[in-house]
Amino acid sequence: MACDVYVAGMGMTPFRKSNQSIEALMAEAGKMAVQRAEHRPVESIYMGAMNVEEFVGEGNFAAFLAEYLGLSGVPSSRVETACSTGAAVFESAFYAVASGYMNNVLVIAGEKMSHLPKIKTARILAEVIDREERRYGATMPALAGMIAHRYQKEFGLSDKRFRRVLARIVEKNSTNGVLNPYARAKRIITQDMYEKGRFIATPLRLFDCSPNSDGAAAVVLTSEKTPIRVSGVGHATDTMALMHRASLTSFSSTRGSALRAYAMAQLNPTDIQFAEVHDAFSIFEIIGMEDLGFFEHGQGWRGVEDGDTDRGGRLPINPSGGLLARGHPAGASGLAQIVEIALMMLGEVDEKRRIPRTDVGLAQSAGALANNNVVTILERSDRRRVMTTGWVPEYKPVIQVGTPENIPETVDDTGILETYTTLYATPEGFSPPHTLALVGLEDGTMTLARYPKYLEKSQFTIGQKVLIRKRGDSVIFQTRNLIQTVKDQVKTLFKGKNLTFAGEKKRKRN
Amino acid sequence: MACDVYVAGMGMTPFRKSNQSIEALMAEAGKMAVQRAEHRPVESIYMGAMNVEEFVGEGNFAAFLAEYLGLSGVPSSRVETACSTGAAVFESAFYAVASGYMNNVLVIAGEKMSHLPKIKTARILAEVIDREERRYGATMPALAGMIAHRYQKEFGLSDKRFRRVLARIVEKNSTNGVLNPYARAKRIITQDMYEKGRFIATPLRLFDCSPNSDGAAAVVLTSEKTPIRVSGVGHATDTMALMHRASLTSFSSTRGSALRAYAMAQLNPTDIQFAEVHDAFSIFEIIGMEDLGFFEHGQGWRGVEDGDTDRGGRLPINPSGGLLARGHPAGASGLAQIVEIALMMLGEVDEKRRIPRTDVGLAQSAGALANNNVVTILERSDRRRVMTTGWVPEYKPVIQVGTPENIPETVDDTGILETYTTLYATPEGFSPPHTLALVGLEDGTMTLARYPKYLEKSQFTIGQKVLIRKRGDSVIFQTRNLIQTVKDQVKTLFKGKNLTFAGEKKRKRN
């Protein structure tokens, strides 16, 4: 019933720190896309930027951009889903064309964020994080760090091996990125360089995190047949807070959006020949590949180790360099992935960048901490489908959606350290090192907890018992061992005195 | 080819200053809509708020709202087009259902803005205005004031008559509003009360301006037949700056969106039985009715005078009370209009509020200063179409789109006063009275100009010759008469001295 939707043209600016305005960047990408689309008359504009109000102080940007493009009069809507904005704009435009009411729609997504002081950018970016997590000083790297620690533990990887896997992703993506004229990466990050990178949020280091950038991407969608068909789009949300999730090493928003996209395309993960996966952090590439059904849960890292995901491998992942090497202008990245896939499909990339098979490509974009994700599947229109009817879905993930529940009002109990991170790049009002953990409670829920500054640095082990306490509005955690250590130290210090410790027996005050 | 799209349910909160959070307001409206839609399973959420980042300090609101609604997992996209956001969200959701890919989509729009200090709200709202206009201290009321002055002049209305017409709109809408439980209006604004209202931006007074409010509205769209069909949607943009428009008394964005909506619905203006028109300012109701084809250009005010647009009239306009009486939570108003039409169509309003014919209703929403407008047409599904094929469009407006051109680099010339306003409620950095004008230049373009504070208060007449000068980054204007008056005054003061005035001969400095 729905009309087929095709990609008629695409454009992109280089992603880097730019002196151009956001409108100039978006116009550059848009113009390129319209030119490649042979100047089909644009009937509607769908544009996206994550937070143009606070990054550049402008509202009403959809109308503004239409005028700036010289298309004043043409309908123009802004779509926003945090860091997956670029892919969500594409999705909304897709439905407009699929409805049959629109023949040619211009999709543009961009972001300008690197002109602001870092602390301000950090504050704006923090708005996409759950309020409670934000209050604890959690940042995107902090949450990604907790996920990484958990993944390492859950699948039994040694520190060294896990570090090597992450370094391998960084090396692969930077190797791909240096060949990509649109990417900001100018050098290959070797294992050595990776290891010399400072910690941002343990175990993640500098090169595990995609750099904030400026840039824009654009696509013209059309109802008229072109070499590239949009064969599937899917979209799903998840809880804002990590602590409300059923899994810390799988994103149900990726699984949900993939399920919908595969069903629409009538394709299975095994049909996908290459993919752009949202590697805002290196660990997300592994989790993304697993959630998309390319690898079993907990096996993605092996694919990296074995070279399966290299440019010449069985299933090239991020042959563009990904967000890690291309840079991550929040609202633009989701659409940039789609543009990269289209360019690769048309063979419009340098010979050195080519990959073996490019008939079916998938892009996966994540909004904030993977709570508003979008999956897009592009396919060569001339691709012969072996079986055009009777598609059997091979991808049936169990999509677990956490039930947000309030954390207990008062906590003065023990719990299990589910995961943790030590943040070395802290947001306003917090100072490094800032250790945060997710602590599992007896009732099956988790609470976020911070490790108090007044305690000495400690070693944490996922799965260990910890003591949690309510201090003002926050939950703090202490390791039993440390408490014992402190007690012992104090006892040594006051040798012979009769001491009572808090928690053993409460001292009376006032 | 496209699927028919129907309204399955709708909900709305009262619009007023609220202590509830924006998510609570949106959830209240959303829950109501889902309940009326008999709990059809929601496959996707389209939500809208104009500026949730700056009004409430939250990003990633689409995912947040999905979770807050207990629908975490369901796809959720935010759509934004400034003050027409509510209608644009509805439009995007409409295409998703029309495509055949979605059966039931929940549309929610809301805004929370009245908790902030007025000066901060004003600063945030100003972001939707053209940069150049903003720099001169222009506000939405200032621009609306200029439009009002121009309308009065263009169609030869005396001050008294024009004031009466505006007062009549305010009286009509407040009369409708007090009967509407969702509206914030609690009393009828009589002609007397209207005239006692202080000036906000001449000739507009307090009651000509819709009040900032908090509130939310929601609709469930479905592909399954219900009593109400969405028979047309249309959307169009216009230049940001008023000075770049071909007309100051007609909005091409309304004409463009109406043209598209009528064409999709295969209906003409004469088929419309009642309408909700974007009366952010009373004058916009007149212009809206004309641009929608209900009245000839320049004749809308007669419809008001004659009572045609009253609740019992030939074509009731804003039987809900409109934005003037309901209140204007920026992102919510566009969807609230649609909800009002649906409620009216289903007869789900108090008997006193009923209007004669409710088979075809139209909602027109304006983004910022009418540069991103959306028109929506709802129709009773059981309405017998007299002629189902061979529709002849009766509405063929000439849609003029201004060509933005740079104002001349240096101005030291004469021009024609095209329109003006004196602003009594000024934005940060400006003090009242602040007079702004649009001055027509010889090359056919217009420039914005301010009247310098150091000159005495003057009478302005549209069409008069004025002197314009570049002062720093701004253009200022002076009336020839005043200059002469000042010169005369000075000459009287310095009787017998030999004086040279600036502009006649330049004094040499340094």
Side-chain angles (χ1 to χ4, degrees):
Chain A
M1 185 146 49
C3 294
D4 278 340
V5 181
Y6 299 91
V7 173
M10 54 270 163
M12 188 155 51
T13 68
F15 280 21
R16 53 197 55 147
K17 192 172 167 58
S18 167
N19 291 324
Q20 284 183 281
S21 66
I22 179 169
E23 59 270 22
L25 290 168
M26 291 177 86
E28 186 183 325
K31 202 175 157 186
M32 221 186 284
V34 169
Q35 275 170 351
R36 272 162 182 266
E38 293 158 350
H39 294 278
R40 284 173 167 79
V42 168
E43 285 151 83
S44 188
I45 301 164
Y46 277 80
M47 61 77 62
M50 188 174 87
N51 192 340
V52 80
E53 288 82 0
E54 292 180 285
F55 281 134
V56 302
E58 289 292 333
N60 197 12
F61 213 71
F64 174 78
L65 186 68
E67 179 178 9
Y68 189 88
L69 291 168
L71 295 175
S72 188
V74 172
S76 183
S77 295
R78 172 185 172 208
V79 178
E80 181 265 321
T81 57
C83 323
S84 59
T85 289
V89 185
F90 183 93
E91 184 208 17
S92 279
F94 168 87
Y95 287 125
V97 178
S99 76
Y101 284 118
M102 303 270 180
N103 290 308
N104 299 297
V105 173
L106 174 58
V107 189
I108 310 186
E111 204 82 56
K112 167 92 178 168
M113 53 203 297
S114 69
H115 59 294
L116 293 180
K118 272 192 182 168
I119 195 85
K120 197 166 176 199
T121 311
R123 191 194 57 70
I124 295 172
L125 288 175
E127 283 175 14
V128 305
I129 296 173
D130 174 71
R131 286 176 200 173
E132 185 69 5
E133 290 177 346
R134 216 185 301 164
R135 201 167 61 72
Y136 274 85
T139 59
M140 290 288 290
L143 299 168
M146 290 204 256
I147 288 166
H149 262 149
R150 178 72 188 205
Y151 185 94
Q152 181 192 350
K153 177 76 180 177
E154 215 166 297
F155 302 111
L157 288 150
S158 70
D159 282 356
K160 192 181 164 191
R161 192 165 199 182
F162 189 50
R163 199 164 63 237
R164 287 248 166 111
V165 168
L166 298 184
R168 186 85 160 74
I169 292 173
V170 170
E171 190 178 14
K172 167 179 73 69
N173 291 1
S174 60
T175 304
N176 292 342
V178 292
L179 294 173
N180 182 353
Y182 297 108
R184 69 182 284 159
K186 288 288 156 274
R187 53 179 187 169
I188 295 169
I189 311 296
T190 61
Q191 180 95 17
D192 261 13
M193 289 161 70
Y194 171 86
E195 297 206 357
K196 278 179 195 142
R198 63 191 162 89
F199 275 121
I200 299 294
T202 61
L204 301 179
R205 293 155 195 267
L206 181 64
F207 296 117
D208 287 306
C209 311
S210 60
N212 292 342
S213 296
D214 308 324
V219 161
V220 174
L221 288 179
T222 180
S223 55
E224 200 189 322
K225 192 168 179 176
T226 75
I228 300 177
R229 191 167 76 87
V230 184
S231 59
V233 298
H235 185 161
T237 55
D238 198 352
T239 62
M240 293 287 280
L242 198 56
M243 62 180 157
H244 294 141
R245 306 248 175 113
S247 169
L248 296 177
T249 57
S250 165
F251 297 145
S252 75
S253 51
T254 304
R255 292 177 176 261
S257 47
L259 186 67
R260 292 179 173 97
Y262 286 136
M264 188 189 286
Q266 303 225 320
L267 289 173
N268 286 307
T270 46
D271 293 313
I272 305 300
Q273 298 175 349
F274 69 111
E276 292 286 325
V277 172
H278 190 92
D279 56 337
F281 302 95
S282 54
I283 180 68
F284 286 6
E285 181 170 308
I286 300 178
I287 292 177
M289 298 187 313
E290 295 175 5
D291 287 333
L292 291 164
F294 301 153
F295 294 91
E296 290 293 315
H297 189 202
Q299 297 300 313
W301 63 273
R302 285 191 202 276
V304 175
E305 256 192 13
D306 298 346
D308 289 346
T309 60
D310 287 352
R311 211 164 55 246
R314 176 173 68 78
L315 177 65
I317 301 291
N318 289 323
S320 71
L323 279 59
L324 284 173
R326 189 169 53 244
H328 185 21
S333 287
L335 194 57
Q337 293 178 318
I338 293 169
V339 169
E340 290 284 3
I341 287 179
L343 290 172
M344 202 60 97
M345 272 186 175
L346 295 177
E348 294 189 14
V349 296
D350 194 85
E351 210 163 324
K352 281 177 286 186
R353 287 184 64 200
R354 300 240 170 107
I355 55 174
R357 302 180 305 151
T358 59
D359 285 351
V360 192
L362 179 149
Q364 176 258 338
S365 182
L369 198 89
N371 47 38
N372 207 349
N373 290 14
V374 180
V375 167
T376 313
I377 302 174
L378 302 186
E379 195 176 352
R380 289 274 323 181
S381 300
D382 54 11
R383 178 170 175 261
R384 192 170 62 91
R385 289 260 188 143
V386 176
M387 186 181 282
T388 52
T389 54
W391 171 71
V392 182
E394 286 166 11
Y395 180 78
K396 295 176 194 166
V398 178
I399 296 166
Q400 299 166 309
V401 176
T403 314
E405 285 174 39
N406 291 326
I407 59 164
E409 265 309 296
T410 55
V411 198
D412 210 329
D413 206 349
T414 57
I416 299 297
L417 188 74
E418 299 285 354
T419 189
Y420 69 97
T421 189
T422 302
L423 199 53
Y424 288 95
T426 48
E428 241 173 323
F430 295 87
S431 63
H434 179 56
T435 298
L436 290 171
L438 284 176
V439 178
L441 307 176
E442 254 187 23
D443 64 1
T445 63
M446 282 189 283
T447 179
L448 197 62
R450 62 183 171 75
Y451 188 72
K453 280 273 191 309
Y454 56 80
L455 291 182
E456 277 175 53
K457 209 175 155 179
S458 171
Q459 286 295 327
F460 306 106
T461 310
I462 292 176
Q464 80 179 122
K465 254 193 173 179
V466 291
L467 179 74
I468 49 172
R469 301 213 162 188
K470 189 107 179 170
R471 280 278 182 278
D473 278 345
S474 299
V475 176
I476 59 164
F477 77 99
Q478 306 176 338
T479 58
R480 280 243 177 257
N481 288 344
L482 183 69
I483 293 164
Q484 206 47 56
T485 310
V486 172
K487 280 181 188 173
D488 291 347
Q489 284 174 352
V490 173
K491 275 177 182 161
T492 313
L493 219 64
F494 297 86
K495 211 177 283 180
K497 309 266 174 191
N498 186 16
L499 296 172
T500 309
F501 289 94
E504 293 180 351
K505 187 180 158 189
K506 285 196 176 149
R507 265 174 287 176
K508 274 188 187 171
R509 275 183 194 167
N510 71 319
Chain B
M1 185 145 49
C3 294
D4 279 340
V5 181
Y6 300 91
V7 173
M10 54 269 161
M12 188 154 51
T13 68
F15 279 20
R16 52 195 57 145
K17 192 173 167 58
S18 166
N19 291 324
Q20 284 183 283
S21 66
I22 179 169
E23 58 270 23
L25 291 167
M26 292 177 86
E28 186 183 325
K31 201 175 157 187
M32 220 185 285
V34 170
Q35 274 171 352
R36 272 163 183 265
E38 294 157 351
H39 294 278
R40 283 174 168 81
V42 168
E43 286 150 83
S44 188
I45 301 164
Y46 278 80
M47 61 76 62
M50 188 174 87
N51 192 340
V52 81
E53 287 83 0
E54 293 181 285
F55 281 134
V56 302
E58 290 292 334
N60 197 11
F61 213 70
F64 175 77
L65 187 68
E67 180 178 9
Y68 190 88
L69 292 168
L71 295 175
S72 188
V74 172
S76 183
S77 294
R78 173 184 172 208
V79 178
E80 182 265 321
T81 57
C83 322
S84 59
T85 289
V89 185
F90 183 93
E91 184 208 17
S92 278
F94 168 86
Y95 287 125
V97 178
S99 76
Y101 284 119
M102 302 268 180
N103 291 308
N104 299 295
V105 174
L106 174 58
V107 189
I108 310 186
E111 204 82 55
K112 167 91 178 169
M113 54 203 296
S114 69
H115 58 295
L116 293 180
K118 273 193 179 166
I119 196 85
K120 197 166 175 198
T121 311
R123 190 194 57 70
I124 295 172
L125 288 175
E127 283 175 14
V128 305
I129 296 172
D130 173 71
R131 286 176 199 172
E132 184 69 5
E133 290 176 346
R134 216 185 300 165
R135 202 167 60 74
Y136 274 85
T139 59
M140 289 289 289
L143 299 167
M146 289 203 255
I147 288 166
H149 262 150
R150 178 72 188 206
Y151 186 94
Q152 181 192 351
K153 178 75 181 179
E154 215 167 295
F155 302 109
L157 288 149
S158 70
D159 281 355
K160 192 180 165 192
R161 192 165 200 182
F162 189 51
R163 199 164 62 237
R164 288 248 166 112
V165 167
L166 297 184
R168 185 85 159 74
I169 292 173
V170 171
E171 191 177 14
K172 167 179 73 68
N173 290 3
S174 59
T175 304
N176 293 342
V178 293
L179 295 172
N180 183 352
Y182 297 108
R184 69 181 284 158
K186 288 288 156 275
R187 53 180 188 169
I188 294 169
I189 311 295
T190 62
Q191 179 94 18
D192 261 13
M193 289 160 71
Y194 171 86
E195 296 207 358
K196 278 179 196 143
R198 64 191 162 87
F199 276 120
I200 299 292
T202 62
L204 302 179
R205 293 155 195 267
L206 181 64
F207 297 116
D208 287 306
C209 311
S210 60
N212 292 342
S213 297
D214 307 325
V219 162
V220 174
L221 288 179
T222 180
S223 55
E224 200 188 322
K225 192 169 179 176
T226 76
I228 300 176
R229 192 167 76 86
V230 183
S231 59
V233 297
H235 185 161
T237 56
D238 198 353
T239 62
M240 292 288 281
L242 199 56
M243 63 181 156
H244 293 140
R245 306 247 176 114
S247 168
L248 296 177
T249 56
S250 165
F251 297 144
S252 75
S253 51
T254 304
R255 293 177 177 260
S257 47
L259 186 67
R260 292 180 173 96
Y262 287 136
M264 188 188 287
Q266 303 225 320
L267 289 172
N268 286 306
T270 46
D271 294 313
I272 305 300
Q273 298 175 348
F274 70 112
E276 292 286 325
V277 173
H278 190 92
D279 57 337
F281 302 96
S282 53
I283 180 69
F284 286 6
E285 180 170 307
I286 300 177
I287 292 177
M289 298 187 313
E290 294 175 6
D291 288 333
L292 291 164
F294 301 152
F295 295 91
E296 291 292 316
H297 189 202
Q299 298 299 313
W301 63 273
R302 286 191 202 275
V304 176
E305 256 192 13
D306 299 347
D308 288 346
T309 60
D310 288 351
R311 211 163 57 245
R314 176 173 68 78
L315 178 65
I317 300 292
N318 288 323
S320 72
L323 279 59
L324 283 173
R326 190 170 52 244
H328 184 22
S333 287
L335 194 57
Q337 293 178 316
I338 293 169
V339 170
E340 290 284 3
I341 287 179
L343 290 172
M344 203 59 100
M345 271 187 176
L346 295 177
E348 294 189 16
V349 297
D350 193 86
E351 209 163 325
K352 281 178 286 187
R353 287 183 66 199
R354 300 240 170 108
I355 55 174
R357 301 180 306 150
T358 58
D359 285 351
V360 193
L362 178 149
Q364 176 258 336
S365 182
L369 198 89
N371 47 39
N372 207 349
N373 290 13
V374 180
V375 167
T376 312
I377 302 175
L378 302 187
E379 194 175 353
R380 289 275 319 183
S381 300
D382 54 10
R383 179 169 176 261
R384 193 170 61 92
R385 289 261 188 143
V386 176
M387 187 182 282
T388 52
T389 55
W391 171 72
V392 182
E394 286 167 11
Y395 179 78
K396 295 176 195 165
V398 178
I399 297 166
Q400 299 166 309
V401 176
T403 314
E405 284 174 38
N406 290 325
I407 60 163
E409 265 308 297
T410 55
V411 198
D412 211 329
D413 206 349
T414 58
I416 299 297
L417 188 73
E418 298 287 353
T419 188
Y420 69 97
T421 189
T422 301
L423 198 53
Y424 287 94
T426 49
E428 241 173 322
F430 296 87
S431 63
H434 179 56
T435 299
L436 290 172
L438 284 177
V439 178
L441 307 176
E442 254 186 24
D443 64 1
T445 64
M446 282 190 281
T447 179
L448 196 62
R450 62 183 172 75
Y451 188 72
K453 279 275 191 309
Y454 56 80
L455 291 182
E456 276 175 53
K457 209 176 154 179
S458 171
Q459 286 294 327
F460 305 106
T461 311
I462 291 176
Q464 80 179 121
K465 253 194 174 180
V466 291
L467 180 73
I468 49 172
R469 300 215 166 188
K470 189 107 179 170
R471 281 276 182 281
D473 278 346
S474 299
V475 176
I476 60 164
F477 77 98
Q478 306 176 338
T479 57
R480 280 243 178 257
N481 289 344
L482 184 69
I483 293 164
Q484 206 46 57
T485 311
V486 172
K487 279 182 187 172
D488 291 349
Q489 285 174 350
V490 172
K491 274 177 182 160
T492 312
L493 220 64
F494 296 86
K495 212 177 279 179
K497 310 265 175 191
N498 187 16
L499 296 172
T500 310
F501 290 94
E504 291 181 350
K505 187 180 159 189
K506 285 194 177 149
R507 264 174 286 175
K508 275 187 188 171
R509 275 181 193 169
N510 70 321

